[in-house]
Amino acid sequence: MRVRSLMIENPITVSDRTSVQEAIHIMEENAIRHLPVVDNQQKLVGWVTLGDMKQGLLPAVVTGVSLADLMIREPITVNADADIEWAARIIFERKIGGLPVVNGNRKVIGVITVTDILGAFIKIMGLLSNGSRIDIDVGQEPEGFEKVSRIIHEQKGKVISVGIAPETVDRQIYYFRLEACPIEPIVTALQKAGYEVISSEA
């Protein structure tokens, strides 16, 4: 999946001449927490967040601190054709709320936020769908995933998504989300095959 498929296209932007008060008003009025700062050719020159603007509001009123003083210069950016996993990793590792999306000329063409990525993750994992879930410990068996997947299939379970817990020395846990189905026959078949079912819900 590419950033292009999730980004907010044609985002609201401001210039470095925009006042701090006006930037706050724009963000609150449009329920957004980030704004790209652009020049008159729509090229990125900075990035501001609602938190930074609110912290800078009093200094702006008292001492004349401007948006240009508060903005993040040369912010991290992402290309629209970049893999969404790469963008998610940047956001996670840098502990930031979003990224401006630019083209080869550094013109702003979009914004991708942690909310956009979380929404995509929720859809991919089928977390909002009515379904069943089963968490299975396959130990360190090399073909454990293939075997438990086959057992679920044999018991008429249809897999929507699979999550994997961080691997430990002696166990590997998989989280299977299934289309709504009777879960007990699957649990019984897995236990009969020697696998530990940590939890399940229909």
Side-chain angles (χ1 to χ4, degrees):
M1 183 181 294
R2 303 297 176 186
V3 167
R4 186 183 302 280
S5 65
L6 294 180
M7 71 181 189
I8 301 165
E9 297 185 59
N10 302 313
I12 299 168
T13 61
V14 292
S15 78
D16 60 5
R17 298 183 302 279
T18 303
S19 70
V20 173
Q21 296 94 323
E22 185 180 354
I24 292 173
H25 175 72
I26 290 171
M27 284 190 264
E28 290 182 338
E29 187 175 59
N30 292 280
I32 54 178
R33 302 184 63 82
H34 313 87
L35 281 173
V37 184
V38 299
D39 62 17
N40 56 13
Q41 295 181 324
Q42 289 299 301
K43 291 185 178 181
L44 184 71
V45 296
W47 179 251
V48 296
T49 70
L50 182 58
D52 291 340
M53 291 297 97
K54 286 188 173 181
Q55 285 186 359
L57 180 57
L58 183 57
V61 173
V62 175
T63 66
V65 168
S66 68
L67 183 145
D69 297 320
L70 298 173
M71 72 182 185
I72 301 166
R73 297 179 183 274
E74 299 184 6
I76 303 168
T77 63
V78 67
N79 184 277
D81 292 319
D83 194 291
I84 195 66
E85 292 180 9
W86 185 75
R89 184 171 180 174
I90 292 174
I91 287 174
F92 176 76
E93 291 180 347
R94 298 298 183 104
K95 295 179 173 58
I96 55 180
L99 292 167
V101 184
V102 298
N103 64 16
N105 295 320
R106 288 192 64 81
K107 285 190 176 182
V108 176
I109 59 172
V111 166
I112 183 80
T113 70
V114 66
T115 302
D116 302 322
I117 293 172
L118 179 59
F121 172 78
I122 288 172
K123 289 178 181 178
I124 290 170
M125 295 299 291
L127 300 181
L128 298 182
S129 61
N130 293 323
S132 305
R133 174 176 161 172
I134 186 165
D135 303 341
I136 309 160
D137 181 357
V138 302
Q140 286 297 307
E141 186 179 359
E143 298 178 354
F145 176 75
E146 289 77 9
K147 289 181 179 179
V148 297
S149 296
R150 184 165 58 250
I151 291 170
I152 292 171
H153 178 72
E154 289 171 351
Q155 296 298 319
K156 311 303 181 185
K158 295 183 179 180
V159 177
I160 297 174
S161 64
V162 181
I164 306 173
E167 191 170 354
T168 61
V169 174
D170 59 349
R171 67 192 322 203
Q172 178 65 73
I173 299 172
Y174 292 93
Y175 309 109
F176 286 85
R177 183 162 290 277
L178 314 174
E179 291 184 6
C181 65
I183 203 74
E184 287 305 321
I186 299 175
V187 171
T188 300
L190 288 165
Q191 291 173 333
K192 186 176 181 180
Y195 295 105
E196 178 186 355
V197 176
I198 297 171
S199 66
S200 62
E201 61 181 54

